[in-house]
Amino acid sequence: MDETPLVERLFLKGFEVTSATEMDIDFDFGDLGMLVVRVDGQGCGQEVFFA
């Protein structure tokens, strides 16, 4: 397991508008893959998942 602190392994990869009322914020999570935070039109978190 990587001993590097989480904050040093999580990099913003991009933003993707998925609908008129939702947006995904993608983070490269190194060896764990892609972490996606889905937010609504006002920026409130709706869902978090690995992709």
Side-chain angles (χ1 to χ4, degrees):
M1 179 94 193
D2 190 343
E3 297 295 325
T4 307
L6 173 62
V7 69
E8 294 179 17
R9 294 192 297 155
L10 194 62
F11 297 98
L12 178 64
K13 178 144 180 145
F15 297 91
E16 180 182 353
V17 176
T18 57
S19 73
T21 59
E22 287 185 335
M23 179 173 62
D24 287 353
I25 305 168
D26 303 327
F27 295 92
D28 182 349
F29 201 32
D31 57 337
L32 296 176
M34 185 77 63
L35 180 72
V36 179
V37 178
R38 183 162 289 154
V39 298
D40 64 16
Q42 295 182 353
C44 297
Q46 300 297 306
E47 187 176 5
V48 177
F49 57 93
F50 282 102

